């Protein structure tokens, strides 16, 4: 593909040039691929929303190389620092109070008093962030409500030629969006992810709840329909007819053309990694229906079930 660029010094410099001119590129992260733009620039942020057809009320996650860079934009406390030391860089997003003097475009955080921030672990995006003197707003590189991309080629599947520069960082290691935790107001999980509420609770030595209902638009990932391949999905199924794609988990299922196993060995991490790949494949094979077996609702399984539920809405 002409618009996919491998990770090299020359291409990192090209990426930098795009971003400095307030243009949008696609970048790898360990969760999913993202569309990146200068978080200080209204122009860049407008471009991101337009490309994704994303509702303007859905704030973006701002990505930083390290704490030093964050301090200009958000107020931090002990609780944040405890979690940061344990989980960052990595797949955890923190919602914090935005500083009044922050230069983050208010379009990026939907004019809220808070901002969501993350320190990604993928080395390619980390190298890029290190060399920039502004943070990057990076939502997932898919049209709003679609399945997220986990490979450079998936970005082409979503946007075709509309994105002229995709930085290739290999397949996303985790394959599901980050856990989002709000530290603004009551501490709670807004979106489950690879880092479970249990792991976080252990570190903070307290129980952490997962937000159930969204009265206001607290968290766009919690919109009812999201992560969808655009095909009806039925959950908790025991079987499927031969015309329906059957998504299964574990070793008790036979091999067949319409059977897609998320993890033969029954690993939830592997299933998370395979989820979006499988849904995208099924979509491209033009199946009209998807049945999914029951997935254990523990650890990253909670995040898998969260995405499946929204995809099935
Ligand atoms: P995505 O960019 O597709 O990974 O989705 C963005 C995620 O960021 C949403 O699911 C929200 O949970 C979260 N988010 C961003 N900014 C805020 C904010 N200020 N308050 C609450 N959640 C936010
Ligand atoms: Mg998204």
């Amino acid at each position: 593909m002409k618009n996919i660029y491998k990770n090299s010094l020359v291409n990192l410099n090209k990426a930098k040039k795009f971003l400095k001119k307030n243009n949008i590129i696609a970048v790898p992260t360990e969760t999913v691929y993202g569309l990146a733009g200068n978080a200080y620039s209204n122009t860049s942020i407008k471009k991101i929303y337009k490309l994704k057809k994303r509702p303007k009320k859905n704030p973006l996650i701002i990505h930083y190389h390290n704490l030093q860079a964050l301090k200009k934009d958000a107020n931090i406390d002990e609780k944040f620092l405890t979690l940061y030391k344990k989980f960052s860089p990595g797949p955890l997003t923190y919602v914090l109070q935005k500083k009044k003097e922050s230069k983050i475009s208010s379009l990026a955080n939907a004019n809220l008093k808070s901002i969501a921030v993350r320190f990604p672990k993928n080395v390619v995006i980390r190298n890029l962030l290190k060399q920039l003197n502004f943070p990057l707003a990076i939502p997932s590189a898919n049209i709003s409500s679609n399945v997220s991309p986990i490979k450079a080629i998936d970005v082409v599947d979503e946007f075709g030629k509309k994105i002229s520069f995709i930085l290739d960082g290999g397949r996303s290691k985790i394959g599901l969006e980050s856990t989002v935790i709000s530290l603004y107001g009551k501490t709670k999980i807004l979106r489950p992810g690879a880092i479970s509420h249990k792991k976080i609770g252990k570190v903070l030595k307290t129980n952490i709840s997962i937000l159930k209902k969204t009265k206001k638009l607290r968290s766009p990932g919690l919109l009812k329909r999201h992560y969808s391949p655009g095909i009806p999905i039925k959950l908790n199924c025991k079987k499927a007819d031969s015309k329906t794609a059957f998504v299964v988990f574990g070793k008790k299922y036979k091999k067949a053309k319409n059977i897609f196993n998320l993890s033969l060995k029954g690993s939830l991490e592997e299933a998370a990694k395979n989820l979006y790949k499988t849904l995208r494949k099924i979509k491209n094979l033009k199946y009209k229906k998807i049945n999914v077996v029951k997935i254990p609702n523990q650890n990253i399984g909670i995040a898998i079930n969260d995405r499946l539920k929204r995809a099935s809405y």
Side-chain angles (χ1 to χ4, degrees):
M1 276 302 157
K2 262 201 246 154
N3 49 353
I4 297 180
Y5 292 79
K6 67 175 197 295
N7 174 31
S8 69
L9 214 59
V10 174
N11 288 338
L12 268 186
N13 279 327
K14 276 191 187 156
K16 251 166 52 185
K17 270 193 194 144
F18 271 99
L19 294 167
K20 280 186 177 161
K21 286 187 191 153
N22 297 330
N23 286 318
I24 306 307
I25 62 170
V27 294
T29 88
E30 71 277 17
T31 57
V32 301
Y33 271 68
L35 287 188
N38 179 352
Y40 289 158
S41 150
N42 286 333
T43 310
S44 299
I45 302 303
K46 277 184 194 158
K47 284 181 187 171
I48 290 179
Y49 277 95
K50 196 168 171 211
L51 278 163
K52 278 183 64 75
K53 301 186 181 132
R54 180 172 172 118
K56 298 214 167 48
K57 278 186 182 166
N58 292 0
L60 308 174
I61 299 173
I62 313 300
H63 292 64
Y64 293 86
H65 182 254
N66 61 21
L67 255 191
Q68 205 51 40
L70 169 75
K71 282 180 180 163
K72 287 184 267 181
D73 296 319
N75 290 319
I76 56 171
D77 59 9
E78 278 305 313
K79 203 184 250 180
F80 165 80
L81 285 172
T82 307
L83 293 176
Y84 177 86
K85 275 180 206 145
K86 184 78 188 174
F87 297 115
S88 295
L92 182 58
T93 294
Y94 312 87
V95 174
L96 303 170
Q97 185 179 46
K98 187 181 182 181
K99 276 193 173 166
K100 284 221 170 70
E101 62 271 31
S102 164
K103 286 195 289 182
I104 298 291
S105 161
S106 59
L107 302 174
N109 66 311
N111 274 309
L112 297 168
K113 287 187 177 140
S114 57
I115 48 170
V117 306
R118 184 162 92 87
F119 308 84
K121 195 168 187 170
N122 173 289
V123 287
V124 180
I125 186 66
R126 265 184 77 73
N127 273 338
L128 185 58
L129 283 166
K130 194 176 174 181
Q131 292 179 41
L132 297 169
N133 55 5
F134 49 83
L136 294 174
I138 317 182
S140 51
N142 52 280
I143 306 286
S144 197
S145 95
N146 285 5
V147 172
S148 298
I150 49 135
K151 285 186 295 182
I153 193 81
D154 296 345
V155 182
V156 181
D157 192 38
E158 286 290 320
F159 291 101
K161 287 181 192 152
K162 276 193 185 163
I163 299 292
S164 57
F165 192 94
I166 303 168
L167 196 54
D168 197 348
R171 188 170 157 183
S172 293
K173 278 221 168 83
I174 292 168
L176 279 188
E177 299 80 0
S178 60
T179 305
V180 179
I181 185 166
S182 178
L183 301 176
Y184 183 62
K186 187 177 181 290
T187 300
K188 58 177 147 334
I189 304 290
L190 302 181
R191 175 173 74 186
I195 298 177
S196 69
H197 67 296
K198 281 212 173 136
K199 277 190 210 163
I200 294 172
K202 242 187 203 165
V203 173
L204 293 180
K205 299 191 177 79
T206 173
N207 279 339
I208 302 294
S209 60
I210 305 177
L211 181 76
K212 286 263 156 60
K213 275 191 207 141
T214 38
K215 283 207 181 113
K216 277 190 205 160
L217 198 70
R218 284 298 307 268
S219 196
L222 297 179
L223 280 176
K224 277 193 175 136
R225 190 180 140 160
H226 208 136
Y227 318 112
S228 158
I231 312 164
I233 301 184
K234 240 171 102 180
L235 305 180
N236 303 323
C237 294
K238 292 214 166 95
K239 54 186 182 191
D241 62 57
S242 63
K243 281 188 181 158
T244 300
F246 192 28
V247 177
V248 302
F249 174 80
K251 60 173 182 265
K252 72 174 184 190
Y253 300 92
K254 285 193 209 96
K255 272 198 176 165
K257 223 173 107 185
N258 68 323
I259 294 185
F260 301 84
N261 204 325
L262 293 177
S263 174
L264 199 63
K265 63 179 181 201
S267 148
L268 286 169
E269 273 81 25
E270 187 177 53
K273 200 171 164 169
N274 283 331
L275 181 68
Y276 289 149
K277 181 184 98 172
T278 304
L279 293 180
R280 190 174 291 280
K281 194 166 159 192
I282 291 170
K283 178 197 84 175
N284 288 334
L285 286 170
K286 309 258 190 286
Y287 277 92
K288 297 279 185 293
K289 278 193 278 180
I290 305 177
N291 285 5
V292 187
V293 296
K294 196 170 178 145
I295 309 286
N297 202 40
Q298 65 207 32
N299 307 322
I300 200 170
I302 298 174
I304 296 174
N305 284 320
D306 168 74
R307 305 308 189 272
L308 279 171
K309 204 168 160 195
R310 289 170 215 293
S312 72
Y313 188 76

